[in-house]
Amino acid sequence: MKVTIVGAGNVGASCAEYIAQKRIASEVVLLDIKKGIAEGKALDLTQTATTLGFNTTIKGVTNDYSLTSGSDVVVITSGVPRKPGMTREELIDINAGIVQEVSSSILEYSPDTIIVVVSNPMDTMTYLALQSSGLSKNRIIGMGGALDSSRFKSYLSIALNKPANDIQGMVIGGHGDTTMIPLTRLASYNGAPVSQYLDEKTLDKVAADTMIGGATLTKLLGTSAWYAPGASVSYLVDSILNNHKRMIPCSVLLEGEYGLKDICIGVPCIIGSKGVESIVDIKLNEKEKQQMIESANKVTAMNTTLKGIL
Ligand code: NAD
């Protein structure tokens, strides 16, 4: 199985590293517009194969899409990341052109591929990739909810003082500081509702920390994070290539699900070899439904801004 990652920056390279280490694909191609960066990172990663024990081949290329030919999955991480104090939405001007151009180049060489969009503002970039490519909606998947959910579970495990892998939880809605919806009501410690162990104030703090999880890291690192984003992309790619049919919150086109239409936004999806195999309808309470409407309104406003740019 072949995976191409466009954008060999922090997130792209980290994603390639996890895909190889976890033996998710037999071949990874890293492509970047900056001369030498993809080749350099691919070579460096290749030289970890014997110590880490994987056989995935990793090739790097500067803007030559012919090498990406026949990719089963393409991950788009090209574009600019945010700097401290910036919102993801402020990246729209630069990243829209990049995502549009990259998706059309990719499809020239891999017409049957599944595209995973990572570049921010991710929900709007997913919508753009879908509209501009004309691909069927199951083949364009925005990655944000997988990352936000892993941050949510991580903050819950700290608050509970329990192992992170004993925690279940999900974040839906937009992938933005004010649009994501950590579903604290449904989070559990091995099936027991976390509300049995954490009071409302603590749960509210976990949700708030999750929502600004990316911004907290951007402030510390001076640029946006890459380990958890790269790992989350690899988790999603694994579910596609190995047909795991995991339930993962992803940004996908809604056509009436959750009462929403003509929008890509995070909802729980079954992810398998066809990409988005189905959307899972979880019963939201009135407060969560209202949060979803508010989140969707903000994502739609961003999509409207996009239409003004293109
Ligand atoms: P980075 O600056 O480290 O890497 C981006 C790379 O894209 C650079 O190497 C750049 O040369 C390359 N690039 C730019 N234009 C290109 C083009 N036209 N073709 C090919 N390559 C091109 O940034 P990063 O930290 O890796 O972040 C990448 C993107 O992912 C940003 O938009 C960031 O906001 C986003 N991101 C999303 C999530 C998420 O959960 N969806 C998480 C983290 C970061």
Side-chain angles (χ1 to χ4, degrees):
M1 291 286 194
K2 178 170 176 176
V3 177
T4 286
I5 300 163
V6 182
N10 287 334
V11 177
S14 154
C15 175
E17 185 181 352
Y18 293 123
I19 287 175
Q21 270 194 38
K22 296 200 294 186
R23 300 159 181 80
I24 292 168
S26 51
E27 191 180 350
V28 173
V29 173
L30 271 171
L31 181 147
D32 203 284
I33 202 164
K34 241 187 256 162
K35 198 162 181 277
I37 187 100
E39 290 87 337
K41 292 202 179 180
L43 185 60
D44 194 9
L45 283 170
T46 296
Q47 292 166 0
T48 68
T50 54
T51 41
L52 297 175
F54 63 80
N55 288 314
T56 303
T57 61
I58 309 169
K59 291 179 195 149
V61 64
T62 304
N63 226 25
D64 175 3
Y65 282 80
S66 65
L67 248 88
T68 69
S69 174
S71 296
D72 298 288
V73 174
V74 175
V75 179
I76 303 181
T77 65
S78 46
V80 286
R82 54 182 171 159
K83 296 284 168 221
M86 281 175 93
T87 65
R88 294 174 179 90
E89 287 73 14
E90 287 174 70
L91 306 172
I92 192 168
D93 285 345
I94 304 175
N95 287 354
I98 296 175
V99 168
Q100 201 171 17
E101 176 200 308
V102 165
S103 18
S104 107
S105 304
I106 278 298
L107 289 169
E108 246 179 76
Y109 291 92
S110 301
D112 300 321
T113 198
I114 291 171
I115 295 181
V116 176
V117 179
V118 181
S119 310
N120 277 317
M122 184 277 295
D123 299 291
T124 297
M125 293 301 105
T126 306
Y127 184 76
L128 168 64
L130 186 75
Q131 300 294 332
S132 64
S133 68
L135 284 192
S136 56
K137 61 177 188 167
N138 60 305
R139 288 171 55 198
I140 303 262
I141 310 173
M143 195 297 295
L147 170 65
D148 301 332
S149 301
S150 71
R151 286 180 173 152
F152 180 41
K153 287 181 270 188
S154 174
Y155 280 120
L156 278 171
S157 88
I158 294 166
L160 287 160
N161 195 23
K162 302 289 182 208
N165 286 301
D166 281 354
I167 313 295
Q168 295 79 37
M170 189 173 16
V171 175
I172 60 168
H175 176 62
D177 296 356
T178 62
T179 57
M180 66 181 82
I181 307 165
L183 292 173
T184 46
R185 180 179 64 90
L186 301 177
S188 83
Y189 166 49
N190 268 340
V194 293
S195 56
Q196 289 188 4
Y197 309 98
L198 300 173
D199 59 26
E200 208 178 317
K201 196 172 155 218
T202 310
L203 282 174
D204 286 348
K205 170 138 179 32
V206 165
D209 286 345
T210 301
M211 292 174 80
I212 56 155
T216 302
L217 283 155
T218 303
K219 203 168 157 194
L220 290 167
L221 297 166
T223 184
S224 78
W226 55 90
Y227 294 120
S232 302
V233 177
S234 77
Y235 182 76
L236 185 59
V237 172
D238 186 22
S239 197
I240 299 168
L241 292 185
N242 294 304
N243 199 21
H244 287 312
K245 300 193 194 295
R246 287 178 180 140
M247 183 169 91
I248 306 174
C250 295
S251 186
V252 294
L253 182 74
L254 299 186
E255 293 174 303
E257 300 90 345
Y258 290 87
L260 300 169
K261 273 186 190 153
D262 192 31
I263 186 172
C264 291
I265 193 166
V267 290
C269 299
I270 301 300
I271 303 294
S273 56
K274 293 190 185 76
V276 181
E277 308 243 335
S278 60
I279 292 170
V280 181
D281 182 20
I282 49 168
K283 302 290 167 223
L284 301 180
N285 66 20
E286 287 311 313
K287 183 182 166 204
E288 292 155 352
K289 278 185 198 162
Q290 190 52 39
Q291 287 175 311
M292 195 65 174
I293 290 168
E294 284 164 21
S295 177
N297 286 343
K298 288 181 187 162
V299 172
T300 301
M302 192 47 33
N303 293 348
T304 307
T305 306
L306 172 78
K307 283 171 189 157
I309 295 170
L310 298 173

